[in-house]
Amino acid sequence: MTGTSAPANRYPDPDGSGGQRYWTGSVWTEHRLPPPPPQYHPYGSYGPAPSYGPAPWKGAQIGRPAEGPGALANPGRRLAARALDWLLLLGVFVVLLVVTLLIAGPHFGPIFPTVNADDANNQVVTPGIVWVYLTVAACGFVTGLAMVAYETVATAKFGRTLGKAWLHIRPVRIDGATLGWGRSFGRAAIGWLAGFLSWIGLLDPLWCLWDDKRQCVHDKVADSIVINDPGRVGNADPTPLAVSAHELR
C-alpha cells in the first residue's frame, strides 16, 4: 500500500487502539480520542455504544476534536478576526472619503443654505450636507466591494485573511478541503450583503454562537467551517509520518 499526503484531520490511531488521533498534515500529535466503550447488546453480543443524544462537544459529529489544532474556532476569535479585517479596510474607506471630499466638496455648495421667503426668484437648492451623506454612503459601498474582493482573493489563494492569520484560524470545507474561488466569494458576498439588513444582518456573524458546528449563515451557504490552525502541539512526533490510503478509509 503506497503512502499519501492526507489533509489535517482526525484519523484512526496507527497504534491500533481503535481510537482516533489528530494528523496535522505532516506529523501525528498527542491529541487523541479514545475508542467508544463496548456496550452489552441483546443476545449477549458486544459492540460500540450507539450514538444517542447530542454530540459531546461542538464539532464532534463531523470528526473535529474538542480543542487544539483542527478544532472548531472559538466564536470570540472569529469575531475578533473579522474586526481586524474591517480595521484594515477602514484605512481604505478614510483615504477614499478624504480624496472624494477634496475633489467634489467645493461643488457641494453651502452645507445649510439660507432660504429667503421674500425672494421671488428663490430656487430650491440641495443642501451640501445631503451631498456629504451621499458621498459617505458611496465610499462605504465601494469599501464593502473592496472587502468582498480582499476576502475572496485572500481565502481562495492563501487560505485565509490577515485577521484570521493573526488569530491562527482558517476556513475550510466541512470535509477539510480548502475553499475554492466560488465558495470564497459566496462567504464574502453574503457577509457583505447581510450588512444591508440592519440589525437582522447581525444574525449572520452571531449565528456561530449557538450553532452546533459554530457556522455563521455564510458558512452554511458555502458548506464551510472555521477551525484552529493545524500544527504541531504538545509532544508531537519529531519526524513526519505518511498516512496510508488504508488508514484514510
Side-chain angles (χ1 to χ4, degrees), residues 80-118:
R82 179 166 290 274
L84 289 172
D85 286 327
W86 274 111
L87 283 176
L88 287 175
L89 270 294
L90 180 61
V92 175
F93 171 76
V94 171
V95 171
L96 183 62
L97 179 62
V98 169
V99 171
T100 304
L101 288 176
L102 288 175
I103 295 175
H107 304 285
F108 289 169
I111 298 297
F112 300 104
T114 302
V115 178
N116 186 355
D118 297 330

Side-chain angles (χ1 to χ4, degrees), residues 106-201:
H107 304 285
F108 289 169
I111 298 297
F112 300 104
T114 302
V115 178
N116 186 355
D118 297 330
D119 187 356
N121 296 324
N122 181 46
Q123 296 181 349
V124 177
V125 178
T126 302
I129 191 65
V130 173
W131 296 111
V132 172
Y133 283 145
L134 290 175
T135 301
V136 172
C139 291
F141 182 83
V142 173
T143 303
L145 292 178
M147 181 68 175
V148 172
Y150 154 71
E151 190 167 344
T152 299
V153 174
T155 302
K157 192 169 181 62
F158 304 105
R160 55 186 170 178
T161 62
L162 288 175
K164 289 183 175 64
W166 290 333
L167 292 180
H168 307 291
I169 59 178
R170 68 174 61 239
V172 295
R173 295 182 61 176
I174 288 184
D175 61 5
T178 57
L179 298 178
W181 288 95
R183 295 177 189 273
S184 299
F185 173 75
R187 294 179 84 255
I190 292 172
W192 174 61
L193 292 174
F196 291 96
L197 301 178
S198 185
W199 64 269
I200 299 178

Side-chain angles (χ1 to χ4, degrees), residues 64-77:
R64 292 290 165 184
E67 58 183 12
L72 296 179
N74 182 279
R77 296 172 74 88

